[in-house]
Amino acid sequence: GFSAGQQAIPERVLADDVSADVRFAAIVALGQLEDHESIELVLARFEDGEPMVREAAIIAAGQLGDDRALPALRKALREGTPPMRFQAVVALAELAGQDAVEDVLAALDDADAEVRGNAVVAVALLGDERAVPALVRRLNDSDNAVKREAAFALAELGDARGASVLRDALGDSARVLDA
């Protein structure tokens, strides 16, 4: 039989292809195959000229579960584009666990609502009670989706302060539920 590393050799070669679509597909495959030997290649794609490849690299780095990705994920969370920060906050939480709490809490104040919303999801993933004050602040977020995510995260942490937001969301006839 082949090891994951042996199976991923074509993807490693394709990760440097001239076509962004091919690089994207190769990086996605390396993450899904959990080809730990390809971490340096994946990290190099954080600087790719194509945004979708950079985002795929962030996701793949989280999937590979290699601590060598932590500095690059932290940098992406601090300095990346909003889509990069969106992906980095959860990848960092999944990879670093409790060691990522401070990074994730900082992302709760991101200028981008989608990043703040994903930071709330990451906080809930970590289940750390140190996040409660920041989550309570997000109950007053300018973005309704962030407010609801914060209320759900507080509920998951056993804090009822988000109950009124959840009640309001249930009564909001303008809200469309995905089925």
Side-chain angles (χ1 to χ4, degrees):
F2 292 105
S3 70
Q6 290 169 318
Q7 291 174 343
I9 290 172
E11 287 82 358
R12 288 188 205 155
V13 171
L14 295 173
D16 285 326
D17 196 89
V18 295
S19 166
D21 290 335
V22 172
R23 290 193 311 275
F24 171 80
I27 295 297
V28 168
L30 290 170
Q32 290 174 342
L33 288 170
E34 296 182 7
D35 177 29
H36 302 283
E37 296 172 28
S38 67
I39 187 65
E40 294 299 329
L41 184 78
V42 168
L43 292 176
R45 291 292 125 216
F46 275 48
E47 303 300 325
D48 196 279
E50 181 61 42
M52 71 177 180
V53 176
R54 292 193 304 263
E55 293 169 44
I58 291 169
I59 295 166
Q63 290 170 319
L64 293 177
D66 190 310
D67 287 348
R68 290 178 287 176
L70 290 174
L73 288 170
R74 284 187 166 104
K75 182 180 179 190
L77 184 57
R78 284 189 320 272
E79 302 171 12
T81 63
M84 288 176 71
R85 296 192 313 269
F86 176 87
Q87 299 298 346
V89 69
V90 171
L92 190 57
E94 289 175 339
L95 183 56
Q98 294 303 310
D99 290 339
V101 170
E102 295 303 319
D103 301 295
V104 173
L105 289 177
L108 287 171
D109 293 323
D110 196 278
D112 186 87
E114 290 183 355
V115 174
R116 290 193 308 275
N118 228 22
V120 170
V121 170
V123 164
L125 238 165
L126 294 173
D128 194 303
E129 292 185 7
R130 290 179 286 176
V132 170
L135 289 171
V136 170
R137 282 195 315 275
R138 292 294 68 147
L139 292 175
N140 296 313
D141 198 277
S142 60
D143 186 272
N144 286 332
V146 174
K147 287 181 190 179
R148 288 190 296 272
E149 290 291 346
F152 281 119
L154 284 166
E156 288 179 17
L157 291 170
D159 191 301
R161 285 181 271 189
S164 64
V165 171
L166 295 175
R167 275 193 301 275
D168 292 347
L170 288 172
D172 184 357
S173 60
R175 187 166 164 253
V176 176
L177 295 175
D178 292 326

